[in-house]
């Protein structure tokens, strides 16, 4: 964006409490706070809430919470009795803290936008990954886009349509518990093809690695993994670097620790995507008008 980063002091007290002080005036300004609520999720979320409160009390004109990765997004509904819908709770906290708008990237499910009582600009990391794949010059006749589970079919279909209208395959799995997945079978044909697996996030990589093993069994020539959010909880790195994948393509919505790099990993930047969207928001322009339609802003 060609701007200086705002000056802010953040520290921890001895008991772990967070202290925030703005080191410059924000009175009458449009403030954009960039903070993914990635691991440690509770620390980063609390830091964001306190930063929003500090800006509100410093008379900022508007406060936009730019959240490249929205933590708790998977807790978006009750799957069994006596559960919390934490995504709605976090949305309420951000709203009550004083945010006027939220800018999020690839929310786990579209309905999460409805949990906020303030405007939400939802951008997709898809164009960044698609541009990179296009640069690899893979023959379109060899491509097949694969959804690692039934829930991601709509996402994979949209991705396939933009990737030379490639055919679609679906991995059907049965989940026996949180972060535990068992692959059952494959819907579609991948024999002799380059399979591109698409998901919004990679956490423990159980789903995507078991899916990749199945694709190899079914005769796929190469398997690529594409994801916007790289949560990379153990043992994700061991699974992803085990030789199942030709390449693992992610974005930097979550900072990737140096110890989590491995030879097959490619990290793409969403800086241009978020920077351009921030300009659009600041100038009160639509993200869907030419030449910005490629941003894919809802």
């Amino acid at each position: 964006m060609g701007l200086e980063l705002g000056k802010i002091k953040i520290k921890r007290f001895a008991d772990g409490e967070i202290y925030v002080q703005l080191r410059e005036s924000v009175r009458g300004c449009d403030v954009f706070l960039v903070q993914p609520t990635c691991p440690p999720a509770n620390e980063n979320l609390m830091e964001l809430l306190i930063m929003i409160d500090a800006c509100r009390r410093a008379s900022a004109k508007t406060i936009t919470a730019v959240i490249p990765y929205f933590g708790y997004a998977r807790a978006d509904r009750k799957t069994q009795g006596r559960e919390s819908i934490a995504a709605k709770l976090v949305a309420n906290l951000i709203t009550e803290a004083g945010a006027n708008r939220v800018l999020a990237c690839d929310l786990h499910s579209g309905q999460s936008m409805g949990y906020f009582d303030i405007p939400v600009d939802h951008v997709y990391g898809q164009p960044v990954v698609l541009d990179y794949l296009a640069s690899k010059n893979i023959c379109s006749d060899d491509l097949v886009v694969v959804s690692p589970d039934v829930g991601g079919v709509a996402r994979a279909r949209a991705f396939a349509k933009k990737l030379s209208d490639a055919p679609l395959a679906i991995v059907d799995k049965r989940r026996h518990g949180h972060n535990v997945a068992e692959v059952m079978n494959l819907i579609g044909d991948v024999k002799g093809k380059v399979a591109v697996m698409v998901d919004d996030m990679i956490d423990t990589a159980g789903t995507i690695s078991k899916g990749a093993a199945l694709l190899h069994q079914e005769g796929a020539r190469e398997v690529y993994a594409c994801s916007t959010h790289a949560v990379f909880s153990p043992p994700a790195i061991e699974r992803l670097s085990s030789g199942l994948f030709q390449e693992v393509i992610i974005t930097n919505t979550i900072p990737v620790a140096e110890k989590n790099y491995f030879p097959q990993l490619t990290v793409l930047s969403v800086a241009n995507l978020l920077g351009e969207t921030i300009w659009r928001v600041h100038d009160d322009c639509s993200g869907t008008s030419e030449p910005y339609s490629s941003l894919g802003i809802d």
Side-chain angles (χ1 to χ4, degrees):
M1 292 181 71
L3 297 175
E4 290 278 327
L5 202 58
K7 296 179 180 65
I8 190 168
K9 179 182 180 181
I10 302 173
K11 68 175 186 179
R12 301 288 190 278
F13 288 112
D15 61 355
E17 291 179 4
I18 299 166
Y19 172 82
V20 168
Q21 183 193 21
L22 301 173
R23 305 306 288 267
E24 61 181 284
S25 174
V26 296
R27 186 179 296 274
C29 295
D30 291 332
V31 177
F32 293 85
L33 296 171
V34 183
Q35 174 83 321
T37 52
C38 54
N42 299 333
E43 283 279 299
N44 286 328
L45 176 61
M46 198 64 203
E47 205 173 83
L48 174 64
L49 296 174
I50 295 172
M51 286 196 292
I52 292 170
D53 185 67
C55 290
R56 181 172 64 88
R57 295 178 190 279
S59 302
K61 182 182 173 187
T62 63
I63 303 165
T64 301
V66 181
I67 311 174
Y69 171 69
F70 182 60
Y72 289 102
R74 285 174 282 186
D76 57 358
R77 65 193 186 281
K78 291 178 74 169
T79 56
Q80 50 194 351
R82 300 178 295 281
E83 280 187 338
S84 163
I85 304 178
K88 171 60 176 168
L89 173 64
V90 172
N92 285 345
L93 288 169
I94 290 169
T95 305
E96 290 302 315
N100 303 106
R101 178 183 290 271
V102 166
L103 168 55
C105 186
D106 266 329
L107 290 168
H108 186 62
S109 54
Q111 70 259 30
S112 297
M113 284 189 281
Y115 296 160
F116 289 91
D117 296 324
I118 52 178
V120 177
D121 289 302
H122 187 208
V123 300
Y124 298 93
Q126 224 178 52
V128 179
V129 178
L130 284 166
D131 284 350
Y132 176 76
L133 283 174
S135 72
K136 296 189 76 66
N137 297 319
I138 302 169
C139 178
S140 58
D141 293 337
D142 292 343
L143 277 173
V144 59
V145 173
V146 182
S147 173
D149 55 26
V150 176
V153 171
R155 183 185 302 109
R157 190 190 294 123
F159 193 90
K161 192 174 181 181
K162 291 178 180 175
L163 198 63
S164 309
D165 210 7
L168 187 66
I170 304 161
V171 175
D172 179 39
K173 69 170 170 40
R174 301 287 186 268
R175 193 183 290 275
H176 295 297
H178 293 299
N179 297 332
V180 179
E182 183 184 355
V183 170
M184 300 298 288
N185 50 42
L186 180 71
I187 304 165
D189 179 34
V190 297
K191 193 169 185 179
K193 299 207 171 191
V194 176
V196 179
M197 300 188 79
V198 180
D199 210 349
D200 64 320
M201 70 173 73
I202 299 175
D203 190 352
T204 60
T207 299
I208 207 160
S209 60
K210 286 184 179 180
L214 180 67
L215 294 176
H216 282 296
Q217 285 173 27
E218 296 289 333
R221 195 169 82 235
E222 292 177 351
V223 179
Y224 289 80
C226 300
S227 175
T228 304
H229 308 301
V231 182
F232 285 176
S233 304
I237 303 306
E238 289 81 358
R239 287 170 170 169
L240 294 171
S241 59
S242 63
L244 287 169
F245 299 98
Q246 179 78 10
E247 195 171 356
V248 178
I249 304 161
I250 61 165
T251 72
N252 61 350
T253 54
I254 296 174
V256 181
E258 201 169 320
K259 63 182 174 64
N260 287 343
Y261 277 87
F262 53 95
Q264 297 94 336
L265 185 69
T266 299
V267 183
L268 307 176
S269 176
V270 293
N272 287 341
L273 178 72
L274 292 179
E276 191 59 61
T277 309
I278 288 171
W279 279 125
R280 301 283 96 201
V281 171
H282 177 65
D283 294 337
D284 292 327
C285 294
S286 168
T288 53
S289 61
E290 291 294 341
Y292 302 102
S293 57
S294 61
L295 293 177
I297 303 170
D298 279 349

